[in-house]
Amino acid sequence: MKFLAIVAAVALSAGAALADPVEGVWQTQVDDGSFAYVKMAPCGGPKVCGVIARTFNDAGEYKSPNIGKQLVIDMVPQGSGKYEGKVWQPSKDRIFMGKMTLNGDRLQLAGCVAGGLICKKQTWARVQ
């Protein structure tokens, strides 16, 4: 019985250790007068995705029609805190090639065109 408890404890700690460091909630930069909280979580294999969880403007929290939509799509870890996948830009309703770089509690996102030569960047802050 004690052996099973040890195995369970090791399995639980290994699961926590395997969590991707970008998992959690991130606050976007202000864009077009508003910002969002994006929940980053696994979305198949090593991929990480981000869904808009809450939205805010000058008046406070509001119910944007974009809540629940995927903003960060299929980001695959490349090592050294770098990720590649896709990002959705709500204001243009377009999906772009995406890159992310994690640096502590800051996450730099870029939506790119022309094979990654031209990128629009934002820096997000960890909320949780």
Side-chain angles (χ1 to χ4, degrees):
M1 198 60 128
K2 190 174 186 177
F3 175 75
L4 290 176
I6 292 170
V7 170
V10 169
L12 287 174
S13 64
L18 295 175
D20 194 288
V22 297
E23 287 182 39
V25 179
W26 295 86
Q27 179 179 319
T28 68
Q29 274 184 228
V30 174
D31 189 15
D32 293 330
S34 61
F35 66 92
Y37 283 2
V38 177
K39 181 173 174 54
M40 304 286 277
C43 59
K47 296 176 185 173
V48 177
C49 294
V51 174
I52 299 171
R54 299 170 69 186
T55 51
F56 303 85
N57 61 20
D58 291 339
E61 188 168 3
Y62 74 102
K63 297 293 181 197
S64 166
N66 292 328
I67 292 175
K69 293 185 178 178
Q70 199 170 66
L71 189 67
V72 177
I73 305 162
D74 296 337
M75 286 287 183
V76 178
Q78 304 296 308
S80 300
K82 296 183 184 305
Y83 297 76
E84 291 182 359
K86 299 179 216 152
V87 293
W88 173 58
Q89 184 178 6
S91 61
K92 295 188 184 226
D93 194 24
R94 289 191 52 202
I95 294 175
F96 295 95
M97 181 181 109
K99 299 176 185 181
M100 296 190 314
T101 303
L102 178 65
N103 186 6
D105 284 339
R106 296 285 180 256
L107 184 63
Q108 185 172 19
L109 262 78
C112 306
V113 295
L117 296 175
I118 302 169
C119 300
K120 180 179 177 182
K121 297 177 182 177
Q122 276 199 356
T123 300
W124 295 2
R126 187 184 298 277
V127 177
Q128 311 180 279

PDB file of all heavy atoms in Angstrom, residues 28-36 55-60 62 64 66 71 88-94 120-122:
ATOM      1  N   THR A  28      -3.080  40.759 -22.366  1.00  0.00           N
ATOM      2  CA  THR A  28      -2.559  41.318 -23.607  1.00  0.00           C
ATOM      3  C   THR A  28      -2.254  42.798 -23.429  1.00  0.00           C
ATOM      4  O   THR A  28      -2.690  43.414 -22.460  1.00  0.00           O
ATOM      5  CB  THR A  28      -3.574  41.171 -24.758  1.00  0.00           C
ATOM      6  OG1 THR A  28      -4.701  42.019 -24.497  1.00  0.00           O
ATOM      7  CG2 THR A  28      -4.024  39.730 -24.940  1.00  0.00           C
ATOM      8  N   GLN A  29      -1.541  43.358 -24.372  1.00  0.00           N
ATOM      9  CA  GLN A  29      -1.351  44.804 -24.413  1.00  0.00           C
ATOM     10  C   GLN A  29      -2.661  45.437 -24.864  1.00  0.00           C
ATOM     11  O   GLN A  29      -3.472  44.799 -25.537  1.00  0.00           O
ATOM     12  CB  GLN A  29      -0.276  45.179 -25.436  1.00  0.00           C
ATOM     13  CG  GLN A  29       1.111  45.142 -24.909  1.00  0.00           C
ATOM     14  CD  GLN A  29       2.118  45.627 -25.939  1.00  0.00           C
ATOM     15  OE1 GLN A  29       3.105  44.963 -26.120  1.00  0.00           O
ATOM     16  NE2 GLN A  29       1.891  46.733 -26.610  1.00  0.00           N
ATOM     17  N   VAL A  30      -2.838  46.707 -24.530  1.00  0.00           N
ATOM     18  CA  VAL A  30      -4.010  47.441 -25.004  1.00  0.00           C
ATOM     19  C   VAL A  30      -3.892  47.576 -26.523  1.00  0.00           C
ATOM     20  O   VAL A  30      -2.854  47.937 -27.052  1.00  0.00           O
ATOM     21  CB  VAL A  30      -4.092  48.829 -24.332  1.00  0.00           C
ATOM     22  CG1 VAL A  30      -5.230  49.646 -24.931  1.00  0.00           C
ATOM     23  CG2 VAL A  30      -4.269  48.679 -22.831  1.00  0.00           C
ATOM     24  N   ASP A  31      -4.991  47.244 -27.217  1.00  0.00           N
ATOM     25  CA  ASP A  31      -5.047  47.333 -28.674  1.00  0.00           C
ATOM     26  C   ASP A  31      -6.448  47.821 -29.029  1.00  0.00           C
ATOM     27  O   ASP A  31      -7.438  47.237 -28.574  1.00  0.00           O
ATOM     28  CB  ASP A  31      -4.766  45.967 -29.298  1.00  0.00           C
ATOM     29  CG  ASP A  31      -4.590  46.030 -30.805  1.00  0.00           C
ATOM     30  OD1 ASP A  31      -4.394  47.133 -31.348  1.00  0.00           O
ATOM     31  OD2 ASP A  31      -4.655  44.962 -31.440  1.00  0.00           O
ATOM     32  N   ASP A  32      -6.561  48.872 -29.799  1.00  0.00           N
ATOM     33  CA  ASP A  32      -7.858  49.462 -30.146  1.00  0.00           C
ATOM     34  C   ASP A  32      -8.676  49.795 -28.899  1.00  0.00           C
ATOM     35  O   ASP A  32      -9.884  49.611 -28.867  1.00  0.00           O
ATOM     36  CB  ASP A  32      -8.655  48.543 -31.075  1.00  0.00           C
ATOM     37  CG  ASP A  32      -8.020  48.402 -32.450  1.00  0.00           C
ATOM     38  OD1 ASP A  32      -7.360  49.359 -32.898  1.00  0.00           O
ATOM     39  OD2 ASP A  32      -8.183  47.334 -33.068  1.00  0.00           O
ATOM     40  N   GLY A  33      -8.006  50.248 -27.832  1.00  0.00           N
ATOM     41  CA  GLY A  33      -8.683  50.697 -26.626  1.00  0.00           C
ATOM     42  C   GLY A  33      -9.117  49.619 -25.655  1.00  0.00           C
ATOM     43  O   GLY A  33      -9.773  49.906 -24.665  1.00  0.00           O
ATOM     44  N   SER A  34      -8.769  48.373 -25.913  1.00  0.00           N
ATOM     45  CA  SER A  34      -9.155  47.313 -24.986  1.00  0.00           C
ATOM     46  C   SER A  34      -8.032  46.281 -24.857  1.00  0.00           C
ATOM     47  O   SER A  34      -7.081  46.283 -25.619  1.00  0.00           O
ATOM     48  CB  SER A  34     -10.448  46.634 -25.445  1.00  0.00           C
ATOM     49  OG  SER A  34     -10.281  46.039 -26.710  1.00  0.00           O
ATOM     50  N   PHE A  35      -8.168  45.423 -23.845  1.00  0.00           N
ATOM     51  CA  PHE A  35      -7.218  44.328 -23.669  1.00  0.00           C
ATOM     52  C   PHE A  35      -7.980  43.107 -23.182  1.00  0.00           C
ATOM     53  O   PHE A  35      -9.167  43.192 -22.853  1.00  0.00           O
ATOM     54  CB  PHE A  35      -6.080  44.711 -22.709  1.00  0.00           C
ATOM     55  CG  PHE A  35      -6.501  44.939 -21.280  1.00  0.00           C
ATOM     56  CD1 PHE A  35      -6.472  43.905 -20.355  1.00  0.00           C
ATOM     57  CD2 PHE A  35      -6.905  46.192 -20.859  1.00  0.00           C
ATOM     58  CE1 PHE A  35      -6.851  44.116 -19.040  1.00  0.00           C
ATOM     59  CE2 PHE A  35      -7.275  46.420 -19.544  1.00  0.00           C
ATOM     60  CZ  PHE A  35      -7.256  45.378 -18.632  1.00  0.00           C
ATOM     61  N   ALA A  36      -7.298  41.980 -23.170  1.00  0.00           N
ATOM     62  CA  ALA A  36      -7.949  40.718 -22.805  1.00  0.00           C
ATOM     63  C   ALA A  36      -7.074  39.903 -21.871  1.00  0.00           C
ATOM     64  O   ALA A  36      -5.856  40.114 -21.794  1.00  0.00           O
ATOM     65  CB  ALA A  36      -8.236  39.908 -24.073  1.00  0.00           C
ATOM     66  N   THR A  55     -12.468  40.247 -21.230  1.00  0.00           N
ATOM     67  CA  THR A  55     -12.094  41.437 -21.983  1.00  0.00           C
ATOM     68  C   THR A  55     -12.385  42.694 -21.167  1.00  0.00           C
ATOM     69  O   THR A  55     -13.325  42.732 -20.380  1.00  0.00           O
ATOM     70  CB  THR A  55     -12.843  41.504 -23.329  1.00  0.00           C
ATOM     71  OG1 THR A  55     -14.248  41.326 -23.103  1.00  0.00           O
ATOM     72  CG2 THR A  55     -12.353  40.419 -24.284  1.00  0.00           C
ATOM     73  N   PHE A  56     -11.546  43.723 -21.385  1.00  0.00           N
ATOM     74  CA  PHE A  56     -11.619  44.963 -20.617  1.00  0.00           C
ATOM     75  C   PHE A  56     -11.429  46.156 -21.541  1.00  0.00           C
ATOM     76  O   PHE A  56     -10.729  46.063 -22.544  1.00  0.00           O
ATOM     77  CB  PHE A  56     -10.505  44.993 -19.558  1.00  0.00           C
ATOM     78  CG  PHE A  56     -10.530  43.822 -18.622  1.00  0.00           C
ATOM     79  CD1 PHE A  56      -9.914  42.627 -18.970  1.00  0.00           C
ATOM     80  CD2 PHE A  56     -11.149  43.912 -17.390  1.00  0.00           C
ATOM     81  CE1 PHE A  56      -9.924  41.537 -18.111  1.00  0.00           C
ATOM     82  CE2 PHE A  56     -11.167  42.831 -16.523  1.00  0.00           C
ATOM     83  CZ  PHE A  56     -10.549  41.639 -16.877  1.00  0.00           C
ATOM     84  N   ASN A  57     -12.053  47.288 -21.170  1.00  0.00           N
ATOM     85  CA  ASN A  57     -11.812  48.558 -21.845  1.00  0.00           C
ATOM     86  C   ASN A  57     -11.728  49.650 -20.781  1.00  0.00           C
ATOM     87  O   ASN A  57     -11.654  49.337 -19.587  1.00  0.00           O
ATOM     88  CB  ASN A  57     -12.879  48.845 -22.916  1.00  0.00           C
ATOM     89  CG  ASN A  57     -14.279  48.935 -22.347  1.00  0.00           C
ATOM     90  OD1 ASN A  57     -14.476  49.157 -21.147  1.00  0.00           O
ATOM     91  ND2 ASN A  57     -15.266  48.767 -23.198  1.00  0.00           N
ATOM     92  N   ASP A  58     -11.775  50.916 -21.187  1.00  0.00           N
ATOM     93  CA  ASP A  58     -11.655  52.014 -20.228  1.00  0.00           C
ATOM     94  C   ASP A  58     -12.714  51.972 -19.131  1.00  0.00           C
ATOM     95  O   ASP A  58     -12.481  52.417 -18.016  1.00  0.00           O
ATOM     96  CB  ASP A  58     -11.730  53.366 -20.949  1.00  0.00           C
ATOM     97  CG  ASP A  58     -10.506  53.620 -21.808  1.00  0.00           C
ATOM     98  OD1 ASP A  58      -9.449  52.989 -21.562  1.00  0.00           O
ATOM     99  OD2 ASP A  58     -10.600  54.447 -22.732  1.00  0.00           O
ATOM    100  N   ALA A  59     -13.883  51.443 -19.438  1.00  0.00           N
ATOM    101  CA  ALA A  59     -14.986  51.386 -18.472  1.00  0.00           C
ATOM    102  C   ALA A  59     -14.894  50.162 -17.559  1.00  0.00           C
ATOM    103  O   ALA A  59     -15.668  50.030 -16.624  1.00  0.00           O
ATOM    104  CB  ALA A  59     -16.321  51.393 -19.206  1.00  0.00           C
ATOM    105  N   GLY A  60     -13.965  49.237 -17.834  1.00  0.00           N
ATOM    106  CA  GLY A  60     -13.831  48.023 -17.031  1.00  0.00           C
ATOM    107  C   GLY A  60     -14.095  46.784 -17.858  1.00  0.00           C
ATOM    108  O   GLY A  60     -13.990  46.801 -19.086  1.00  0.00           O
ATOM    109  N   TYR A  62     -15.971  43.965 -19.891  1.00  0.00           N
ATOM    110  CA  TYR A  62     -17.162  43.917 -20.730  1.00  0.00           C
ATOM    111  C   TYR A  62     -17.218  42.578 -21.447  1.00  0.00           C
ATOM    112  O   TYR A  62     -16.235  41.848 -21.507  1.00  0.00           O
ATOM    113  CB  TYR A  62     -17.198  45.089 -21.721  1.00  0.00           C
ATOM    114  CG  TYR A  62     -16.233  44.958 -22.878  1.00  0.00           C
ATOM    115  CD1 TYR A  62     -16.661  44.558 -24.140  1.00  0.00           C
ATOM    116  CD2 TYR A  62     -14.874  45.254 -22.723  1.00  0.00           C
ATOM    117  CE1 TYR A  62     -15.778  44.439 -25.203  1.00  0.00           C
ATOM    118  CE2 TYR A  62     -13.989  45.142 -23.778  1.00  0.00           C
ATOM    119  CZ  TYR A  62     -14.446  44.746 -25.010  1.00  0.00           C
ATOM    120  OH  TYR A  62     -13.564  44.621 -26.053  1.00  0.00           O
ATOM    121  N   SER A  64     -17.151  40.948 -24.597  1.00  0.00           N
ATOM    122  CA  SER A  64     -16.828  41.015 -26.018  1.00  0.00           C
ATOM    123  C   SER A  64     -17.349  39.765 -26.728  1.00  0.00           C
ATOM    124  O   SER A  64     -17.353  38.677 -26.158  1.00  0.00           O
ATOM    125  CB  SER A  64     -15.308  41.087 -26.192  1.00  0.00           C
ATOM    126  OG  SER A  64     -14.952  40.824 -27.526  1.00  0.00           O
ATOM    127  N   ASN A  66     -15.731  38.230 -28.715  1.00  0.00           N
ATOM    128  CA  ASN A  66     -14.539  37.402 -28.931  1.00  0.00           C
ATOM    129  C   ASN A  66     -14.223  36.477 -27.760  1.00  0.00           C
ATOM    130  O   ASN A  66     -13.325  35.639 -27.863  1.00  0.00           O
ATOM    131  CB  ASN A  66     -13.332  38.285 -29.231  1.00  0.00           C
ATOM    132  CG  ASN A  66     -13.468  38.976 -30.561  1.00  0.00           C
ATOM    133  OD1 ASN A  66     -14.059  38.442 -31.497  1.00  0.00           O
ATOM    134  ND2 ASN A  66     -12.953  40.187 -30.658  1.00  0.00           N
ATOM    135  N   LEU A  71      -7.133  32.722 -29.753  1.00  0.00           N
ATOM    136  CA  LEU A  71      -6.261  33.792 -30.225  1.00  0.00           C
ATOM    137  C   LEU A  71      -4.876  33.242 -30.580  1.00  0.00           C
ATOM    138  O   LEU A  71      -4.254  33.669 -31.540  1.00  0.00           O
ATOM    139  CB  LEU A  71      -6.155  34.856 -29.131  1.00  0.00           C
ATOM    140  CG  LEU A  71      -5.475  36.158 -29.449  1.00  0.00           C
ATOM    141  CD1 LEU A  71      -6.289  36.948 -30.464  1.00  0.00           C
ATOM    142  CD2 LEU A  71      -5.331  36.996 -28.190  1.00  0.00           C
ATOM    143  N   TRP A  88      -4.422  34.694 -34.162  1.00  0.00           N
ATOM    144  CA  TRP A  88      -5.586  35.318 -34.789  1.00  0.00           C
ATOM    145  C   TRP A  88      -5.630  36.778 -34.363  1.00  0.00           C
ATOM    146  O   TRP A  88      -5.504  37.081 -33.173  1.00  0.00           O
ATOM    147  CB  TRP A  88      -6.848  34.598 -34.369  1.00  0.00           C
ATOM    148  CG  TRP A  88      -8.125  35.257 -34.831  1.00  0.00           C
ATOM    149  CD1 TRP A  88      -8.494  35.531 -36.111  1.00  0.00           C
ATOM    150  CD2 TRP A  88      -9.194  35.725 -33.998  1.00  0.00           C
ATOM    151  NE1 TRP A  88      -9.730  36.140 -36.138  1.00  0.00           N
ATOM    152  CE2 TRP A  88     -10.184  36.261 -34.851  1.00  0.00           C
ATOM    153  CE3 TRP A  88      -9.410  35.733 -32.626  1.00  0.00           C
ATOM    154  CZ2 TRP A  88     -11.368  36.796 -34.367  1.00  0.00           C
ATOM    155  CZ3 TRP A  88     -10.595  36.269 -32.146  1.00  0.00           C
ATOM    156  CH2 TRP A  88     -11.556  36.791 -33.014  1.00  0.00           C
ATOM    157  N   GLN A  89      -5.792  37.687 -35.309  1.00  0.00           N
ATOM    158  CA  GLN A  89      -5.939  39.102 -34.996  1.00  0.00           C
ATOM    159  C   GLN A  89      -7.414  39.455 -35.135  1.00  0.00           C
ATOM    160  O   GLN A  89      -7.941  39.548 -36.255  1.00  0.00           O
ATOM    161  CB  GLN A  89      -5.083  39.964 -35.924  1.00  0.00           C
ATOM    162  CG  GLN A  89      -5.141  41.433 -35.552  1.00  0.00           C
ATOM    163  CD  GLN A  89      -4.255  42.290 -36.440  1.00  0.00           C
ATOM    164  OE1 GLN A  89      -3.662  41.833 -37.419  1.00  0.00           O
ATOM    165  NE2 GLN A  89      -4.163  43.557 -36.093  1.00  0.00           N
ATOM    166  N   PRO A  90      -8.098  39.653 -33.993  1.00  0.00           N
ATOM    167  CA  PRO A  90      -9.544  39.920 -34.037  1.00  0.00           C
ATOM    168  C   PRO A  90      -9.928  41.141 -34.866  1.00  0.00           C
ATOM    169  O   PRO A  90     -10.915  41.094 -35.605  1.00  0.00           O
ATOM    170  CB  PRO A  90      -9.922  40.138 -32.567  1.00  0.00           C
ATOM    171  CG  PRO A  90      -8.865  39.444 -31.793  1.00  0.00           C
ATOM    172  CD  PRO A  90      -7.611  39.566 -32.621  1.00  0.00           C
ATOM    173  N   SER A  91      -9.162  42.227 -34.789  1.00  0.00           N
ATOM    174  CA  SER A  91      -9.536  43.457 -35.504  1.00  0.00           C
ATOM    175  C   SER A  91      -9.543  43.275 -37.024  1.00  0.00           C
ATOM    176  O   SER A  91     -10.279  43.953 -37.727  1.00  0.00           O
ATOM    177  CB  SER A  91      -8.623  44.612 -35.115  1.00  0.00           C
ATOM    178  OG  SER A  91      -7.287  44.322 -35.452  1.00  0.00           O
ATOM    179  N   LYS A  92      -8.746  42.337 -37.524  1.00  0.00           N
ATOM    180  CA  LYS A  92      -8.712  42.066 -38.970  1.00  0.00           C
ATOM    181  C   LYS A  92      -9.381  40.743 -39.321  1.00  0.00           C
ATOM    182  O   LYS A  92      -9.534  40.421 -40.490  1.00  0.00           O
ATOM    183  CB  LYS A  92      -7.262  42.039 -39.472  1.00  0.00           C
ATOM    184  CG  LYS A  92      -6.587  43.378 -39.360  1.00  0.00           C
ATOM    185  CD  LYS A  92      -5.241  43.363 -40.027  1.00  0.00           C
ATOM    186  CE  LYS A  92      -4.592  44.705 -39.783  1.00  0.00           C
ATOM    187  NZ  LYS A  92      -4.005  45.308 -40.904  1.00  0.00           N
ATOM    188  N   ASP A  93      -9.736  39.968 -38.276  1.00  0.00           N
ATOM    189  CA  ASP A  93     -10.293  38.623 -38.448  1.00  0.00           C
ATOM    190  C   ASP A  93      -9.437  37.796 -39.406  1.00  0.00           C
ATOM    191  O   ASP A  93      -9.941  37.181 -40.339  1.00  0.00           O
ATOM    192  CB  ASP A  93     -11.752  38.680 -38.913  1.00  0.00           C
ATOM    193  CG  ASP A  93     -12.438  37.318 -38.774  1.00  0.00           C
ATOM    194  OD1 ASP A  93     -11.985  36.496 -37.948  1.00  0.00           O
ATOM    195  OD2 ASP A  93     -13.421  37.068 -39.499  1.00  0.00           O
ATOM    196  N   ARG A  94      -8.124  37.828 -39.150  1.00  0.00           N
ATOM    197  CA  ARG A  94      -7.173  37.069 -39.976  1.00  0.00           C
ATOM    198  C   ARG A  94      -6.245  36.264 -39.080  1.00  0.00           C
ATOM    199  O   ARG A  94      -5.921  36.680 -37.964  1.00  0.00           O
ATOM    200  CB  ARG A  94      -6.331  38.008 -40.834  1.00  0.00           C
ATOM    201  CG  ARG A  94      -7.136  38.649 -41.959  1.00  0.00           C
ATOM    202  CD  ARG A  94      -6.300  39.378 -42.969  1.00  0.00           C
ATOM    203  NE  ARG A  94      -5.214  38.554 -43.504  1.00  0.00           N
ATOM    204  CZ  ARG A  94      -4.120  39.061 -44.056  1.00  0.00           C
ATOM    205  NH1 ARG A  94      -3.960  40.353 -44.163  1.00  0.00           N
ATOM    206  NH2 ARG A  94      -3.182  38.270 -44.513  1.00  0.00           N
ATOM    207  N   LYS A 120       4.075  42.075 -36.372  1.00  0.00           N
ATOM    208  CA  LYS A 120       3.503  43.003 -35.406  1.00  0.00           C
ATOM    209  C   LYS A 120       3.615  42.309 -34.051  1.00  0.00           C
ATOM    210  O   LYS A 120       3.209  41.159 -33.910  1.00  0.00           O
ATOM    211  CB  LYS A 120       2.044  43.296 -35.744  1.00  0.00           C
ATOM    212  CG  LYS A 120       1.397  44.263 -34.774  1.00  0.00           C
ATOM    213  CD  LYS A 120      -0.037  44.554 -35.157  1.00  0.00           C
ATOM    214  CE  LYS A 120      -0.672  45.454 -34.121  1.00  0.00           C
ATOM    215  NZ  LYS A 120      -2.078  45.720 -34.415  1.00  0.00           N
ATOM    216  N   LYS A 121       4.197  43.016 -33.063  1.00  0.00           N
ATOM    217  CA  LYS A 121       4.494  42.383 -31.774  1.00  0.00           C
ATOM    218  C   LYS A 121       3.711  42.997 -30.639  1.00  0.00           C
ATOM    219  O   LYS A 121       3.340  44.175 -30.691  1.00  0.00           O
ATOM    220  CB  LYS A 121       5.983  42.500 -31.470  1.00  0.00           C
ATOM    221  CG  LYS A 121       6.863  41.785 -32.471  1.00  0.00           C
ATOM    222  CD  LYS A 121       8.322  41.982 -32.168  1.00  0.00           C
ATOM    223  CE  LYS A 121       9.170  41.287 -33.242  1.00  0.00           C
ATOM    224  NZ  LYS A 121      10.589  41.516 -33.032  1.00  0.00           N
ATOM    225  N   GLN A 122       3.472  42.172 -29.632  1.00  0.00           N
ATOM    226  CA  GLN A 122       2.899  42.602 -28.362  1.00  0.00           C
ATOM    227  C   GLN A 122       3.651  41.887 -27.258  1.00  0.00           C
ATOM    228  O   GLN A 122       4.122  40.758 -27.451  1.00  0.00           O
ATOM    229  CB  GLN A 122       1.423  42.212 -28.238  1.00  0.00           C
ATOM    230  CG  GLN A 122       0.451  43.133 -28.857  1.00  0.00           C
ATOM    231  CD  GLN A 122      -0.955  42.933 -28.295  1.00  0.00           C
ATOM    232  OE1 GLN A 122      -1.231  42.060 -27.481  1.00  0.00           O
ATOM    233  NE2 GLN A 122      -1.860  43.769 -28.748  1.00  0.00           N
TER     234      GLN A 122
END
